[in-house]
Amino acid sequence: MSIETPEPNPVEVYLSGLSSRNMRTSLEALDVMAKSISWKTGPKGGKRTYEGLSAPWWILQSEEVVALRDQLTSGEWISEVTGKPYTPAAINRFMVALRGVLRQCWKQKLMPAAVYLDSVAKLKSVSTGPVRSSRASARS
């Protein structure tokens, strides 16, 4: 598969369908994920880093999507803003953005249907548990 960014860029197409607020948060989520993935796209299989807009999302395999999901839900990734693991709400935003970009890659025929369907099915299986507010915890 090619790592050249196609025209139109699937990330830009996905983001263009969102409100400006959702566009910003989705791009931030894609940036964090893209920078955290060890992309094997360099010369002779070398690794390279990308940002959300430039990453070749269409080359991801379902195993890599599962690894990404597992890293997020295990608390391995720390928010630069809070210094803590991402909240369940943030993790869900990450997963929604990734599903949206993968869907656009599939629609543009950059990704095989089987890989797309397997990947999004595994993203939907994210279980972060109920979120408790500090007020609810204080009453318990």
Side-chain angles (χ1 to χ4, degrees):
M1 285 190 187
S2 172
I3 58 168
E4 297 294 319
T5 303
E7 283 297 324
N9 181 328
V11 177
E12 290 175 353
V13 173
Y14 165 69
L15 294 173
S16 70
L18 302 176
S19 69
S20 60
R21 180 178 181 269
N22 286 340
M23 184 184 302
R24 186 181 69 250
T25 58
S26 292
L27 184 55
E28 288 170 0
L30 292 168
D31 280 340
V32 169
M33 288 186 286
K35 290 174 185 173
S36 299
I37 295 171
S38 293
W39 298 94
K40 297 171 189 145
T41 61
K44 299 181 182 179
K47 298 185 183 195
R48 183 169 173 202
T49 58
Y50 289 93
E51 292 187 349
L53 278 172
S54 63
W57 299 102
W58 54 92
I59 70 168
L60 287 179
Q61 298 297 308
S62 57
E63 300 81 26
E64 295 165 312
V65 171
V66 168
L68 185 64
R69 179 204 64 198
D70 291 347
Q71 289 170 0
L72 267 169
T73 58
S74 71
E76 286 182 42
W77 292 4
I78 305 299
S79 167
E80 290 179 10
V81 175
T82 66
K84 297 178 182 177
Y86 288 99
T87 65
I91 292 168
N92 284 332
R93 281 194 305 273
F94 279 60
M95 297 297 100
V96 166
L98 183 57
R99 276 195 306 269
V101 168
L102 294 179
R103 182 170 194 265
Q104 189 58 43
C105 290
W106 167 70
K107 286 174 75 174
Q108 289 181 227
K109 299 184 180 6
L110 300 169
M111 172 179 264
V115 173
Y116 163 70
L117 293 170
D118 192 40
S119 295
V120 296
K122 290 175 178 164
L123 286 175
K124 287 184 179 180
S125 66
V126 172
S127 175
T128 55
V131 180
R132 296 182 137 221
S133 70
S134 57
R135 186 179 303 196
S137 298
R139 283 188 251 158
S140 300

